[in-house]
Amino acid sequence: MPGATITGEREPKRFLLVGVGPHAKRIYIPHLKALEAEHRAKLLCAIDVEPNSQAITDYRDSFFPGVELAFVPPFTNDMPAAVSTQLNALTFRLKISCVIISTEPLAHQAYGLWAISQGLNVIMDKPITTRRNVTTNIEQAYGIAKDYEDLHAAYAELQQSHQSFFLIASHRRYHPGLYCTFDMIKEISEKSGYPVTNIISTHCDGSWRLPTEIVEVKNHSVNAGYGKVSHSGYHFLDMVYRFVKSGWTAEKRPDKIEVVSSFMMPNGLQKCFNREDYERVFGAQKYNAVCKYSDDELKDLLIPFGEIDAAIQISFKQENETITLAQVNLQHNGFSRRSWVELGPDLYKGAGRVKHEFHEIKNGPFQTIVIDSRQANDKHDRSQPSTGEIGTDNHFEIHVFRNCDVLGEEEPLTTYTVADLDRRYDAQMPGLFSENVKRGILWEAVSFMEGKKSLDDMSSNLEDHSVPAHIMSAVYVSHVRRIAGLNPVVSVDLTYSSGISPNRGYATASIRKDPRDMNDNTAPKSSDTIQSHFPEGVTLAYH
């Protein structure tokens, strides 16, 4: 079976990359090159959609010559039989060990199910999946949870005959600062008996899209009916789960989650800043040269689009009593360095995006952990050298407050900087710290295939993503219920694996469906309905 692990084999592990977009170019390809230099891995082939064939071929010739390319027609639902046949032959011929799925998330499930059917090891970008029109269609919102369940069922069946991994690229699970945090939560839970009681997580990427770009630009778009929660938002829903997991015990663990969400939508953004405002800031002549739509036209166009920002309340309950409160704030709209009207070619890091990230985690009266990471610049050469201080590319600090007198410790406050984390975890620098972190999943994958790491020790395997995947689904269900005038509180039930202790074991989630949801006719139900909002020549982006 393709991809079977051969312990002790010295040949480099053979990778297939599906999707050669900005993320793959910035992360997977450079780190696979580094692993190839160590004779541990080799990228054999890359796949993309047929409309991108010339651009991808040119990129291959310049940056990873010798890698085979294959192109397929765009799709987002079931994989066409001809594509499956093409990929089956390719993986067999090239003896692929692991497939990296780095496509538009609408195609994740199709590629994931195909890879499982071939017995391959898998690395897949976050989110696990999303759906078109999840902000307006209750069935699509529930569909995110179903997609996870279908993938997990297929993966679990494969494990009965063939051990493999299915890693989700939730990179913060590999971040030294965050697994240091997991360890500190675990330590206090074991010392004091107090689980995690409160979490605040905030992320803003400063992605300032002008109105015409919101309608037409494909990369990290909202024009397919999903937005921030489906972009980087999954990372933070996952971190809330991991913080809770780090402090849970068999006796002090939630059996239910309640989720309530509120979104800022594109039309709300337009009310904050309209055409008159843009003309004042950029100049009427410059702005009108790139703006195709009036404010009245935009009002209709933006109705079915995805969310710009999200505020989410997550209550973890045991026997109907809340034991952990979490607030998650996810924002595209915030501090940006953009000062120009025309987008350049690099939409990933060259469009004024600036990361601000903050977490505060409490173990009752015994510990508060504050994590802060704030950049001031979008272009990394603006703040060289990167010192790790606030505003620089690598700013990342952890402040740990502890009830030292009760715990028998010396100091109530300890601060960890990037340099401290380097020394503690032997992180390799220089480079952008957060992007060096992203290689961790590749190193773990190769270590497993080399027989050096067990499946139980993998940091981000699919079975441990049931809770964040169902929370993400519940976030969208809550929003659709809210706009339909229904109760926005969504309940998620939890069951557990054996061996639950701080930072060990995993939970399995299931959403309680309200029968009234399926009778809601207040929202658009199909892509045809959504498409009717667009003028001729503007289509829903899906790759």
Side-chain angles (χ1 to χ4, degrees), residues 67-331:
V67 172
E68 184 174 333
L69 296 178
F71 298 98
V72 300
F75 63 90
T76 58
N77 296 318
D78 296 337
M79 180 178 286
V83 174
S84 179
T85 299
Q86 176 187 0
L87 298 187
N88 292 348
L90 187 151
T91 56
F92 182 81
R93 174 172 58 82
L94 296 178
K95 300 179 181 179
I96 296 299
S97 311
C98 180
V99 57
I100 299 172
I101 301 170
S102 188
T103 65
E104 153 67 55
L106 293 171
H108 280 183
Q109 188 197 34
Y111 278 107
L113 289 172
W114 163 77
I116 291 170
S117 77
Q118 297 303 297
L120 292 165
N121 294 299
V122 180
I123 296 172
M124 189 164 77
D125 279 350
K126 57 73 196 164
I128 295 172
T129 69
T130 193
R131 295 280 192 102
R132 290 182 185 277
N133 312 326
V134 287
T135 57
T136 55
N137 186 320
I138 198 79
E139 294 176 39
Q140 296 293 74
Y142 278 121
I144 294 171
K146 184 180 185 302
D147 289 345
Y148 171 84
E149 291 161 4
D150 290 347
L151 279 168
H152 183 259
Y155 174 74
E157 183 178 354
L158 173 63
Q159 301 315 293
Q160 300 301 311
S161 60
H162 171 76
Q163 189 177 71
S164 63
F165 60 75
F166 195 121
L167 296 178
I168 304 302
S170 186
H171 295 298
R172 282 160 180 77
R173 291 193 181 208
Y174 298 90
H175 193 298
L178 288 160
Y179 56 71
C180 174
T181 299
F182 304 153
D183 287 345
M184 291 187 290
I185 293 170
K186 175 178 182 288
E187 179 188 2
I188 291 301
S189 178
E190 291 174 338
K191 278 187 176 183
S192 70
Y194 235 105
V196 169
T197 53
N198 196 280
I199 301 164
I200 301 171
S201 288
T202 297
H203 181 264
C204 180
D205 58 22
S207 179
W208 186 8
R209 293 282 174 88
L210 305 190
T212 297
E213 296 160 1
I214 291 174
V215 173
E216 297 184 357
V217 170
K218 296 180 180 181
N219 182 265
H220 264 212
S221 65
V222 297
N223 59 19
Y226 64 86
K228 174 65 177 180
V229 176
S230 294
H231 296 159
S232 55
Y234 184 84
H235 285 303
F236 306 97
L237 303 179
D238 184 44
M239 283 301 96
V240 166
Y241 165 67
R242 285 297 286 111
F243 293 147
V244 170
K245 173 179 174 174
S246 297
W248 68 22
T249 65
E251 297 77 27
K252 298 175 182 178
R253 63 187 186 186
D255 53 37
K256 184 175 79 169
I257 302 171
E258 289 184 348
V259 177
V260 180
S261 67
S262 184
F263 292 170
M264 175 184 276
M265 303 299 287
N267 269 324
L269 190 66
Q270 279 296 103
K271 290 184 178 297
C272 296
F273 211 73
N274 57 30
R275 187 181 192 118
E276 182 179 339
D277 297 313
Y278 282 109
E279 290 176 351
R280 185 180 65 253
V281 169
F282 292 114
Q285 183 175 359
K286 280 187 177 181
Y287 181 69
N288 290 331
V290 299
C291 180
K292 297 181 181 179
Y293 310 106
S294 69
D295 285 349
D296 287 341
E297 289 172 324
L298 286 167
K299 186 176 181 180
D300 289 335
L301 283 171
L302 298 176
I303 288 171
F305 282 20
E307 72 283 1
I308 302 294
D309 297 344
I312 304 162
Q313 176 79 39
I314 307 171
S315 302
F316 293 83
K317 298 194 167 216
Q318 186 185 81
E319 297 177 348
N320 289 320
E321 295 291 345
T322 299
I323 59 173
T324 306
L325 286 169
Q327 299 172 49
V328 184
N329 302 299
L330 305 173
Q331 302 153 8

Side-chain angles (χ1 to χ4, degrees), residues 246-529:
S246 297
W248 68 22
T249 65
E251 297 77 27
K252 298 175 182 178
R253 63 187 186 186
D255 53 37
K256 184 175 79 169
I257 302 171
E258 289 184 348
V259 177
V260 180
S261 67
S262 184
F263 292 170
M264 175 184 276
M265 303 299 287
N267 269 324
L269 190 66
Q270 279 296 103
K271 290 184 178 297
C272 296
F273 211 73
N274 57 30
R275 187 181 192 118
E276 182 179 339
D277 297 313
Y278 282 109
E279 290 176 351
R280 185 180 65 253
V281 169
F282 292 114
Q285 183 175 359
K286 280 187 177 181
Y287 181 69
N288 290 331
V290 299
C291 180
K292 297 181 181 179
Y293 310 106
S294 69
D295 285 349
D296 287 341
E297 289 172 324
L298 286 167
K299 186 176 181 180
D300 289 335
L301 283 171
L302 298 176
I303 288 171
F305 282 20
E307 72 283 1
I308 302 294
D309 297 344
I312 304 162
Q313 176 79 39
I314 307 171
S315 302
F316 293 83
K317 298 194 167 216
Q318 186 185 81
E319 297 177 348
N320 289 320
E321 295 291 345
T322 299
I323 59 173
T324 306
L325 286 169
Q327 299 172 49
V328 184
N329 302 299
L330 305 173
Q331 302 153 8
H332 279 319
N333 184 31
F335 170 62
S336 172
R337 288 299 304 272
R338 181 172 182 175
S339 59
W340 52 92
V341 295
E342 292 192 38
L343 280 178
D346 182 3
L347 301 182
Y348 189 64
K349 289 291 185 181
R353 293 175 60 196
V354 182
K355 183 186 75 172
H356 280 199
E357 181 174 340
F358 172 84
H359 306 273
E360 182 177 273
I361 310 103
K362 292 181 169 71
N363 290 79
F366 291 95
Q367 177 174 256
T368 294
I369 299 173
V370 178
I371 302 170
D372 205 17
S373 177
R374 299 182 190 271
Q375 297 173 338
N377 299 299
D378 59 322
K379 295 182 175 63
H380 300 145
D381 57 359
R382 287 180 174 177
S383 57
Q384 294 295 328
S386 187
T387 61
E389 296 179 356
I390 189 167
T392 61
D393 304 334
N394 281 334
H395 175 243
F396 190 94
E397 294 179 312
I398 305 176
H399 306 284
V400 184
F401 298 84
R402 285 188 167 179
N403 191 331
C404 57
D405 296 332
V406 174
L407 296 169
E409 299 179 358
E410 292 184 2
E411 298 293 336
L413 172 62
T414 305
T415 295
Y416 299 91
T417 65
V418 167
D420 298 325
L421 294 168
D422 287 347
R423 289 189 290 269
R424 181 166 178 165
Y425 292 99
D426 194 28
Q428 295 184 26
M429 302 289 279
L432 193 63
F433 188 70
S434 62
E435 293 187 4
N436 281 324
V437 165
K438 294 177 183 179
R439 69 184 179 178
I441 196 168
L442 288 169
W443 264 248
E444 183 174 76
V446 171
S447 294
F448 173 85
M449 291 186 286
E450 291 173 339
K452 298 175 183 178
K453 197 173 186 72
S454 73
L455 199 60
D456 288 342
D457 291 328
M458 303 295 265
S459 300
S460 194
N461 210 31
L462 182 65
E463 63 189 7
D464 198 33
H465 281 266
S466 178
V467 173
H470 282 77
I471 291 176
M472 178 176 161
S473 184
V475 166
Y476 284 114
V477 170
S478 175
H479 169 74
V480 179
R481 285 183 180 177
R482 181 189 296 279
I483 63 175
L486 300 174
N487 182 359
V489 179
V490 182
S491 294
V492 180
D493 293 318
L494 301 178
T495 57
Y496 288 85
S497 64
S498 59
I500 293 296
S501 62
N503 234 359
R504 302 296 295 180
Y506 61 90
T508 300
S510 60
I511 293 183
R512 295 185 193 176
K513 289 188 177 181
D514 187 327
R516 292 172 297 176
D517 291 339
M518 298 310 169
N519 296 322
D520 172 35
N521 293 312
T522 63
K525 296 297 184 185
S526 71
S527 59
D528 291 339
T529 305

